[in-house]
Amino acid sequence: RLTPEQTAKLNGIGFPWDVHNVRWKYWLKLLKEHRQEHKDRWPTQNEKYKSENVGRWCSRQREKKNRLTPEQTAKLNGIGFPWDVHNVRWKYWLKLLKEHRQEHKDRWPTCNEKYKSKNIGSWCSRQRNKKNRLTPEQTVKLDEIGFPWDLSTQGQNAVSLWQGLAQ
């Protein structure tokens, strides 16, 4: 046991009594730095940043959300931490599709088309295939940009959409 004098001296130099909280704050700091560098996205599940797997740390926070302290939850909420990673990923793809449409106003991505090194054409096909499993919000977001759900009704435009298959 420490004497009150020893405890006071340790307190005087800022001794970290709660090592778990210190470690948690270290990871939060890394996450904030990652977000400063990559403002348009959150880390992927196994993404490393400064040699640390900040993506895995984020996954663990989601897994143990109900066991975090109110202070930890508030700090994560304060930086807009995405608790539902699937929704974040979907919004990223939607943003990419909107950017594609800004550059190519006359057409939608072909089935095998890549945009910014991402297979945006396949993503569009998957949205059509799982239309009944999308959330109402996702369906509305795609409807708002005029997303072509049924390629058979697109006429000549459908031909251009499917050209990627023959290549």
Side-chain angles (χ1 to χ4, degrees):
R1 282 217 47 93
L2 297 173
T3 66
E5 182 182 291
Q6 291 170 324
T7 302
K9 284 183 180 179
L10 289 172
N11 285 337
I13 61 168
F15 184 79
W17 294 102
D18 184 354
V19 179
H20 296 291
N21 194 36
V22 170
R23 187 84 178 134
W24 191 90
K25 286 180 179 178
Y26 164 79
W27 282 101
L28 179 64
K29 180 178 176 277
L30 271 180
L31 177 60
K32 287 178 178 180
E33 290 172 9
H34 178 279
R35 289 289 292 150
Q36 282 297 317
E37 213 170 292
H38 307 282
K39 294 181 184 347
D40 64 328
R41 66 180 184 80
W42 291 87
T44 58
Q45 185 170 357
N46 289 309
E47 184 173 347
K48 292 195 177 205
Y49 179 74
K50 294 186 177 180
S51 301
E52 298 279 14
N53 196 332
V54 72
R56 188 176 324 143
W57 182 80
C58 289
S59 294
R60 276 192 251 122
Q61 303 319 293
R62 289 181 190 100
E63 290 167 8
K64 61 183 186 177
K65 180 180 181 184
N66 296 329
R67 295 187 316 250
L68 296 174
T69 67
E71 177 190 359
Q72 291 170 332
T73 302
K75 286 186 178 194
L76 288 170
N77 287 338
I79 61 169
F81 185 76
W83 296 104
D84 180 359
V85 71
H86 300 292
N87 194 35
V88 169
R89 191 175 300 128
W90 192 90
K91 285 181 179 178
Y92 168 79
W93 280 98
L94 178 65
K95 179 178 171 270
L96 209 60
L97 177 60
K98 287 178 178 180
E99 290 172 9
H100 178 280
R101 289 290 290 155
Q102 285 294 333
E103 285 184 33
H104 308 282
K105 295 182 188 327
D106 61 326
R107 66 179 186 80
W108 291 89
T110 59
C111 290
N112 294 322
E113 186 171 347
K114 289 191 183 259
Y115 178 72
K116 295 187 177 181
S117 302
K118 303 290 183 188
N119 199 334
I120 191 71
S122 288
W123 183 81
C124 289
S125 294
R126 284 192 305 275
Q127 303 321 292
R128 288 183 192 95
N129 291 337
K130 63 180 187 178
K131 182 179 182 185
N132 295 333
R133 295 188 316 261
L134 295 175
T135 67
E137 176 194 358
Q138 290 170 334
T139 303
V140 166
K141 295 269 187 209
L142 288 168
D143 285 342
E144 286 174 350
I145 62 170
F147 186 76
W149 293 104
D150 184 1
L151 297 182
S152 67
T153 64
Q154 296 296 311
Q156 181 58 39
N157 201 11
V159 173
S160 66
L161 286 167
W162 286 98
Q163 283 175 342
L165 288 175
Q167 298 171 348

